[in-house]
Amino acid sequence: MFVGHLALGFAAKRVTPRASLAVLFAAAQLADILWPVFIAVGIEQVRIAPGITAFTALDFVSYPYSHSLVFLLGWGVVFGVLYRQLTGDRAAVAVMAALVVSHWVLDFLTHRPDMPIYPGGSTFGLGLWNSIPATLIVELVLYAVGLWVYVRATEARDRIGRWGFIALAIFLVVVYLASIGVAPSSIPGIYIPALAGVILLTVWSWWADRHRAPRRSV
Ligand SMILES: [Zn+2]
């Protein structure tokens, strides 16, 4: 899942208005930020297997440190506590931790049964990715709802806050749709674009969100 994770990041702005959208995205996507790093250094494994599901050509052979439920609970606590230490925002700890853990739940919906509860344990997944239409319906509805909550909770302070944000919201959907079924030609062809995407998403969402303010009426 991709834009579905970001949907929860958008929606979380409603409950943690002081947190940057970039941080909320990072929490919801933490598993997918750690994953390309762990693939690059070789402690997790992925295989390119076109057709393994309709939606993705990737076979997630092993990813216990980025994607097991137990590790995500741990990463969630680390992320939440670190955020509190850096910002003093106590109320956000639980929200950040919940966003990190939510990644497992959403991936469990879409992935084949390859999601571990703990390293070395049995793996689970409902396999929504076997159907492109079903995946699109679930994920785009989630995205629309998340976006709607964010738009209701914030307002543009200037043109960047309006157009920079609208461009980001559209760009994410375009990238998402363009990625369907694409088979990278090598393993670096997976993790290098993934890491570049993380940097772009972080900078863009931070920039657009900075030009928006919590709406007073909510
Ligand atoms: Zn993931």
Side-chain angles (χ1 to χ4, degrees):
M1 195 169 272
F2 174 52
V3 293
H5 295 302
L6 302 180
L8 296 195
F10 272 125
K13 187 75 176 180
R14 174 83 176 79
V15 281
T16 52
R18 283 171 56 197
S20 167
L21 184 61
V23 178
L24 299 170
F25 278 175
Q29 279 284 74
L30 188 63
D32 288 352
I33 294 173
L34 296 172
W35 179 73
V37 176
F38 293 166
I39 293 294
V41 300
I43 59 170
E44 296 193 339
Q45 280 78 41
V46 65
R47 210 167 58 88
I48 299 156
I52 190 159
T53 63
F55 202 86
T56 179
L58 302 184
D59 176 6
F60 301 92
V61 177
S62 169
Y63 50 2
Y65 311 115
S66 65
H67 275 75
S68 70
L69 181 57
V70 166
F71 264 79
L72 282 169
L73 286 164
W75 291 124
V77 172
V78 169
F79 194 98
V81 169
L82 212 62
Y83 182 77
R84 186 192 62 194
Q85 293 305 111
L86 292 173
T87 63
D89 189 353
R90 288 174 162 274
V93 177
V95 177
M96 295 297 171
L99 281 173
V100 173
V101 176
S102 76
H103 192 102
W104 194 93
V105 179
L106 294 185
D107 274 4
F108 165 74
L109 289 179
T110 53
H111 283 229
R112 296 166 57 243
D114 60 24
M115 296 285 298
I117 302 279
Y118 54 88
S122 304
T123 53
F124 303 87
L126 298 180
L128 194 64
W129 273 345
N130 289 316
S131 163
I132 292 176
T135 304
L136 288 177
I137 290 169
V138 170
E139 204 161 352
L140 290 175
V141 166
L142 254 176
Y143 186 69
V145 172
L147 210 53
W148 182 75
V149 172
Y150 178 84
V151 168
R152 297 250 316 166
T154 61
E155 58 193 351
R157 296 196 324 217
D158 53 28
R159 281 164 53 189
I160 294 171
R162 177 178 307 279
W163 297 110
F165 162 70
I166 290 173
L168 172 67
I170 294 170
F171 173 77
L172 292 172
V173 175
V174 171
V175 168
Y176 170 65
L177 296 176
S179 73
I180 298 172
V182 172
S185 55
S186 67
I187 302 299
I190 300 170
Y191 64 74
I192 293 171
L195 290 170
V198 166
I199 294 167
L200 176 66
L201 179 62
T202 302
V203 172
W204 195 343
S205 57
W206 172 79
W207 177 65
D209 187 68
R210 252 187 94 223
H211 290 264
R212 299 181 66 87
R215 221 182 262 270
R216 264 183 281 275
S217 53
V218 285

